[in-house]
Amino acid sequence: MKTIDKILYRMKREGPVTAKILAEEFQLTTMGVRQHLQGLEEDGLVDFEDIKAKIGRPTRHWHLTQKGHRRFADRHGDLIIQMLDSVEELFGQEGLGKVVVRREDQTFEQYQAQLAGVENIAEKLQILTTLREREGYMAELHQDGEDFVLIENHCPICHAAQRCPSLCQSELAVFQRLLGNEYQVNRQEHIIAGERRCAYRIIKS
C-alpha cells in the first residue's frame, strides 16, 4: 500500500490525526508526511483544523474531506441504487419494503448461525465485529465500563442507505434481534447524518 493510501486509510479508520503521529506510526520524517498531506490537500482529499493547545502553538489535525471519504465508497453503489429504483418502480414502496425485510432476515440468519452456542456477551460482540469487518465496515469493538461500543468507520452500503434509509434501521434491528431483550442497542453516531462513523452503544437492560 502506498504511503498516501496508508494515510487516507488511517484517517478513515481512526479520524483526525497530526503529521507527527503519522510520522511515528509509519516511520517517516515529519517533513515527508507534511509533503504527502499537502499533496492530498491539493487533491481535495484532506483538510485540517488547528486546535489550540494548553501550552505553545496550536496543533494541526488532518482529516478526510467528503471527497476523501468517497475514495472508500462501495464500487457497486450506483448499481444497487438502480436496482432499488427498479424494484420501487415495478412493485411500489411496499415491494421495496419487502426487499429490505428479506435482506434483514437473511443477514440475521447468517449472523445468528455464527453466534450459535455463544453465551458470553463480549465474545458474541467480538464475533459480530469480525463479521462486520469482513464485510467492509472497518468495525471495531470497545468496552466502556459495563457498556460495549461497536464502531463502524465505513459503510459499504452508504449510497444505497441514502436512497433507502430503512436499510439503516434494518441494520440496527439486526443487532437488536441478535442480542435480544437483555440488551439495548442505541446508535449514537451515524454516517448518513453526516458524522464520520456509525457507533452503537450496547447497554444491559
Side-chain angles (χ1 to χ4, degrees):
M1 190 184 292
K2 295 180 180 178
T3 300
I4 58 171
D5 291 327
K6 289 180 180 178
I7 291 172
L8 293 172
Y9 185 86
R10 167 63 168 76
M11 290 182 186
K12 178 66 176 174
R13 181 131 206 161
E14 301 188 40
V17 65
T18 65
K20 181 180 178 181
I21 290 175
L22 288 173
E24 291 172 354
E25 289 185 1
F26 299 141
Q27 297 183 340
L28 300 170
T29 64
T30 303
M31 181 63 71
V33 168
R34 285 185 180 134
Q35 289 175 346
H36 285 304
L37 290 169
Q38 185 175 355
L40 291 169
E41 182 188 15
E42 290 172 356
D43 291 338
L45 297 173
V46 303
D47 201 354
F48 63 84
E49 179 183 4
D50 289 331
I51 299 177
K52 290 183 178 180
K54 291 182 179 179
I55 302 174
R57 298 164 56 186
T59 306
R60 180 157 293 183
H61 288 71
W62 293 85
H63 59 85
L64 293 180
T65 61
Q66 287 300 317
K67 183 178 179 181
H69 280 290
R70 286 197 295 273
R71 280 282 292 262
F72 297 86
D74 178 20
R75 295 176 184 175
H76 306 293
D78 292 340
L79 175 61
I80 294 173
I81 289 174
Q82 289 174 7
M83 292 178 65
L84 292 173
D85 287 342
S86 296
V87 168
E88 187 171 32
E89 183 179 343
L90 290 170
F91 305 107
Q93 189 67 35
E94 182 180 352
L96 182 59
K98 288 181 179 179
V99 169
V100 173
V101 170
R102 181 56 184 147
R103 176 185 178 274
E104 178 183 321
D105 289 341
Q106 288 177 326
T107 302
F108 170 75
E109 290 164 8
Q110 175 191 344
Y111 291 172
Q112 188 181 45
Q114 295 292 325
L115 296 175
V118 179
E119 298 296 333
N120 182 278
I121 182 63
E123 185 179 353
K124 185 177 289 190
L125 288 172
Q126 191 57 63
I127 293 172
L128 177 60
T129 302
T130 300
L131 293 172
R132 300 292 282 182
E133 172 73 13
R134 289 174 184 169
E135 293 174 10
Y137 287 85
M138 294 189 185
E140 55 190 79
L141 181 68
H142 301 279
Q143 188 161 2
D144 182 16
E146 295 183 356
D147 299 347
F148 290 88
V149 181
L150 171 62
I151 293 172
E152 295 181 342
N153 295 288
H154 179 58
C155 178
I157 63 165
C158 184
H159 285 170
Q162 288 174 328
R163 164 64 180 81
C164 182
S166 56
L167 285 170
C168 282
Q169 186 58 38
S170 177
E171 301 255 289
L172 181 60
V174 167
F175 296 157
Q176 188 64 69
R177 288 172 67 184
L178 285 169
L179 299 181
N181 295 329
E182 191 177 351
Y183 292 91
Q184 183 178 349
V185 184
N186 298 319
R187 184 190 281 122
Q188 296 185 316
E189 297 179 55
H190 197 188
I191 291 173
I192 299 301
E195 293 175 289
R196 183 183 71 79
R197 62 190 187 179
C198 288
Y200 303 86
R201 180 170 289 274
I202 295 95
I203 304 169
K204 190 173 179 61
S205 299

